[in-house]
């Protein structure tokens, strides 16, 4: 059963990596809608991974409880050790892909905020940002 949960967790991580890589490709081309469309799929995959991780933890805990005299490495098969190693690698890959995507999101966010500030200048009034009274670019005509 542990091997089954490990395979499922690996599959979910690989899917999350592919989805995030698609997001990176789309943000580079300013395709926002596909990114937003994939949000629910990403959330589902993340929930699925978390559930499988909980099952993996439960299975390992059960193995250790049933065999208190044995160390964990002795309880797991060679295949399970390899799957756990793969899980670590894929988690690291996901972290790296997410970092790259986060950098791009931050760059795009700063770009849009800069454009907005130039179009509609704002000033701080206490903790609130409000449009300044003299926007130099905007003019309202009736």
């Amino acid at each position: 059963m542990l091997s089954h949960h490990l395979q499922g967790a690996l599959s979910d991580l690989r899917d999350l990596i592919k989805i995030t890589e698609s997001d990176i490709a789309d943000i580079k081309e300013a395709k926002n809608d596909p990114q937003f469309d994939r949000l629910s799929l990403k959330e589902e995959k993340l929930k699925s991974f978390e559930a499988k991780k909980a099952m993996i933890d439960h299975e390992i805990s059960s193995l250790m409880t049933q065999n208190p005299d044995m160390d964990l490495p002795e309880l797991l098969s060679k295949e399970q050790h390899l799957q756990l190693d793969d899980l670590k690698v894929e988690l690291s890959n996901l972290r790296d892909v997410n970092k790259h995507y986060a950098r791009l999101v931050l760059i795009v966010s700063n770009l849009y905020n800069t454009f907005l500030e130039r179009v509609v200048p704002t000033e701080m009034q206490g903790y609130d940002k409000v449009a300044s009274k003299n926007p130099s670019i905007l003019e309202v005509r009736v």
Side-chain angles (χ1 to χ4, degrees):
M1 202 59 180
L2 177 60
S3 293
H4 173 74
H5 294 308
L6 286 167
Q7 288 172 350
L10 279 167
S11 176
D12 287 344
L13 281 176
R14 289 176 179 143
D15 289 344
L16 281 166
I17 291 169
K18 287 178 188 172
I19 293 167
T20 306
E21 288 171 341
S22 296
D23 289 344
I24 289 170
D26 285 341
I27 201 170
K28 288 180 178 181
E29 295 181 17
K31 295 179 181 176
N32 298 328
D33 290 337
Q35 293 175 67
F36 294 127
D37 293 342
R38 283 189 291 269
L39 276 176
S40 61
L41 178 59
K42 258 181 150 174
E43 289 172 359
E44 286 176 30
K45 288 292 179 183
L46 188 57
K47 286 179 185 176
S48 175
F49 171 75
E50 289 172 345
K52 289 173 182 143
K53 185 189 171 301
M55 293 303 295
I56 291 167
D57 291 344
H58 176 74
E59 291 290 329
I60 289 174
S61 177
S62 294
L63 280 173
M64 293 184 74
T65 303
Q66 293 169 2
N67 302 290
D69 298 339
M70 297 177 73
D71 290 332
L72 180 61
E74 298 169 12
L75 295 173
L76 302 178
S77 69
K78 185 176 182 176
E79 176 189 350
Q80 291 167 335
H81 280 287
L82 292 174
Q83 288 172 326
L84 283 171
D85 289 342
D86 288 346
L87 197 62
K88 289 177 190 174
V89 169
E90 293 302 333
L91 279 168
S92 179
N93 290 341
L94 180 61
R95 186 194 70 223
D96 294 342
V97 170
N98 277 333
K99 276 185 180 179
H100 185 210
Y101 181 59
R103 284 188 200 114
L104 293 174
V105 168
L106 184 60
I107 290 167
V108 170
S109 174
N110 287 339
L111 177 70
Y112 282 130
N113 288 335
T114 301
F115 287 157
L116 182 61
E117 181 66 30
R118 288 186 182 168
V119 172
V120 183
T122 58
E123 57 188 37
M124 294 299 292
Q125 287 184 353
Y127 289 108
D128 297 325
K129 258 189 175 182
V130 296
S132 62
K133 296 177 183 171
N134 300 321
S136 58
I137 296 177
L138 291 180
E139 183 178 311
V140 179
R141 297 181 186 178
V142 181

